[in-house]
Amino acid sequence: MQAAEEDRFALICDGRETRAPELLDASARIAGALEGLGVRRGDRVAIMMQNVPEFVAVWFALARSGIVEVPLHTQYREHLLRHVLAETGARVLLCDAEFVPRLAGLELDALEHVVVRGAVDEGVDIAARMHDLDELAAHAPAAAFPVLGARDVACICYTSGTTGPSKGVVLGHGANLHLARTASSLMDYGASDVLFTVFPLSHVNAKFTSVVAAMLTGARLVLDERFSASRHWDTMREHGVTAFNYMGSLLAMLAKQPPGPGDRDHSVRRCYGAQTPAKLWPEIEARFGIVLMEHYGMSETGITTYNTAQRRRFGSCGQAAPYYELRLADDAGRDVPTGEAGEILVRPREPGIILQEYFARPETTIEAFGDLWFHTGDRARRDADGFYYFVDRAKDSIRRRGENISSWEVEVVVDAHPAVLESAAYALPDEVSDEEVAVAVVVRPEATVDARELVAHCRRGLAAFAIPRYVHFVAALPKNQNQRIQKFVLREAGIGPSFYDRLADADGGG
């Protein structure tokens, strides 16, 4: 970062304004403290914090030191929290005090230290040694930082699994910087811009298309924690926001707000995001006076296709980015004709701009890079002009309000209930949430359980965004001759009269 950008950049978050010199100083002190705890380059350290400046300072401390960051979503609980911490062997966890009780009872042999932001309630007992983040932030700065290359591992970001647990996407510093630069260029960010996002810092979206993009261009960034459709445009006016990040569900919620005089009374010019329904796209632009910069991407590849201000089509996720080769293939790996749907296969034209591997999963990595193309698990079609149109996911995952949910992990928790014989979690379309989580449940003979009890059970083991909205009990799950569950049968059947909808349950839902 040039000195001029340091002077302009500001992070507005948690009611505080923090500038780059402050973040760099805090990160140097935290890096020195971690060194004192015996953490070295290449070690893995986890972060589980809300969107606060301290998260950014800790993240920068790890990045500058060559320590591998393992960002954890704040809604991770029991099963997934144990899985990620155990698989990565994280030696240190830096987290908010409210999340420390979730560690109680988890067997985590590698975890030695937990550094806490805030005060932990009395009586919370964990095996790891606890430290206060404020005390570490007062440590003497690290004496020096290593010289890092583009392929040095920066982070392991966990993304939804398919028929197994979530997988750790191993990303190098070069891939992350490439994503930030691409987003900045696509959006034409500059020092006069004020960016806004509500996505968590555990996601590459907030980290690299917002924080790092703002730092690269000298823009200001407003980093919020929760999206409010009713207050959104008030927030935009309050901070003079010129661009914000979105997912299709966010725009759908804005569109459902009653029209008002403030719809165009703001300084927002363009927005960065994906999965806007084709019908909604022109309506959103006309009503709010903004330009949507739709793209397709994933943690593994970054921005793979995009529309530009000059070349764009409603309903399309754009044309292939110039630094990628793209193919659409059938199940046999053959190219599909123009207009037909196929799996998106990706190959980079430049080194180091996509994932290096799936952490500790060599077989999964080899499978994903079949025929020397990265298989995204997503399907799209392409028109004669090279514009791509997202169709669906070939993989068995669910996307709810921007969060990827492993159906397998939902099933693991549901099946752990003593009354459940087996279950199948799957996606049902929803115009607000993109998709909602549904689960079909087979109850053990002679056992009983109601849907409300099952939802309460899921609350104890799943992130809030992964808790099933719909529960329905069936005598048997549809299966093929190989006894594989045919979830497409469940999806095509839609919502039936016997379905329990927790959002419609005033007494036990929500």
Side-chain angles (χ1 to χ4, degrees), residues 80-90 107-110 158 359:
L80 190 51
L81 184 59
R82 181 195 302 112
H83 162 63
V84 175
L85 289 174
E87 182 170 87
T88 59
E107 294 183 8
L108 299 166
D109 295 337
Y158 273 73
F359 184 75

Side-chain angles (χ1 to χ4, degrees), residues 177-246:
L177 188 57
H178 181 266
L179 172 57
R181 285 173 171 162
T182 303
S184 301
S185 176
L186 174 63
M187 296 295 289
D188 193 27
Y189 289 146
S192 62
D193 278 307
V194 179
L195 316 185
F196 175 86
T197 188
V198 294
F199 295 116
L201 284 167
S202 55
H203 283 192
V204 296
N205 185 299
K207 295 172 89 71
F208 305 115
T209 70
S210 292
V211 175
V212 178
M215 295 190 79
L216 287 173
T217 57
R220 295 165 65 85
L221 170 65
V222 179
L223 183 64
D224 214 335
E225 276 194 319
R226 293 176 179 84
F227 172 69
S228 170
S230 62
R231 292 197 66 256
H232 179 76
W233 296 113
D234 291 335
T235 302
M236 300 299 99
R237 284 186 287 274
E238 176 186 351
H239 295 285
V241 172
T242 61
F244 65 81
N245 287 13
Y246 68 88

Side-chain angles (χ1 to χ4, degrees), residues 47-51 55 71-82 84 96 98-99 102 198 200-203 225-227 400-405 409 413 458-467 502:
I47 308 176
M48 190 176 189
M49 292 183 183
Q50 302 286 5
N51 281 1
F55 190 132
L72 305 176
H73 198 293
T74 57
Q75 293 190 21
Y76 280 5
R77 294 181 181 274
E78 196 173 294
H79 170 76
L80 190 51
L81 184 59
R82 181 195 302 112
V84 175
D96 291 338
E98 63 183 292
F99 306 130
R102 299 184 192 177
V198 294
L201 284 167
S202 55
H203 283 192
E225 276 194 319
R226 293 176 179 84
F227 172 69
R400 182 179 186 272
R401 297 193 178 185
E403 301 288 353
N404 286 319
I405 301 165
E409 285 165 349
V413 172
C458 289
R459 289 189 191 283
R460 295 189 288 271
L462 289 172
F465 58 77
I467 297 169
R502 67 176 174 85

Side-chain angles (χ1 to χ4, degrees), residues 295-456:
H295 73 286
Y296 164 79
M298 56 195 312
S299 299
E300 289 90 332
T301 65
I303 302 171
T304 311
T305 70
Y306 56 73
N307 288 277
T308 68
Q310 295 75 34
R311 292 184 61 81
R312 58 202 299 266
R313 289 191 181 170
F314 292 145
S316 169
C317 52
Q319 296 175 306
Y323 38 84
Y324 286 129
E325 293 180 70
L326 260 66
R327 293 174 53 215
L328 298 180
D330 61 19
D331 291 342
R334 296 183 294 260
D335 290 346
V336 298
T338 298
E340 290 191 13
E343 184 182 8
I344 304 171
L345 309 185
V346 180
R347 189 156 63 188
R349 299 180 188 272
E350 301 174 14
I353 63 173
I354 67 171
L355 81 161
Q356 297 181 11
E357 62 176 328
Y358 287 114
F359 184 75
R361 296 174 183 276
E363 296 86 358
T364 303
T365 303
I366 292 171
E367 181 181 0
F369 283 93
D371 301 325
L372 301 182
W373 289 83
F374 177 72
H375 291 238
T376 66
D378 291 332
R379 297 171 69 245
R381 59 183 177 83
R382 182 180 54 239
D383 67 20
D385 296 322
F387 281 87
Y388 288 80
Y389 300 80
F390 183 84
V391 175
D392 60 16
R393 278 171 297 284
K395 58 187 180 183
D396 186 17
S397 64
I398 305 162
R399 189 166 185 83
R400 182 179 186 272
R401 297 193 178 185
E403 301 288 353
N404 286 319
I405 301 165
S406 167
S407 60
W408 180 86
E409 285 165 349
V410 173
E411 291 159 3
V412 165
V413 172
V414 172
D415 291 351
H417 191 286
V420 174
L421 178 63
E422 62 178 342
S423 65
Y426 59 99
L428 285 175
D430 185 85
E431 63 177 7
V432 172
S433 299
D434 296 333
E435 294 175 334
E436 285 286 0
V437 183
V439 60
V441 180
V442 179
V443 178
R444 293 180 181 277
E446 309 304 323
T448 59
V449 62
D450 64 23
R452 185 179 293 175
E453 177 187 345
L454 203 56
V455 167

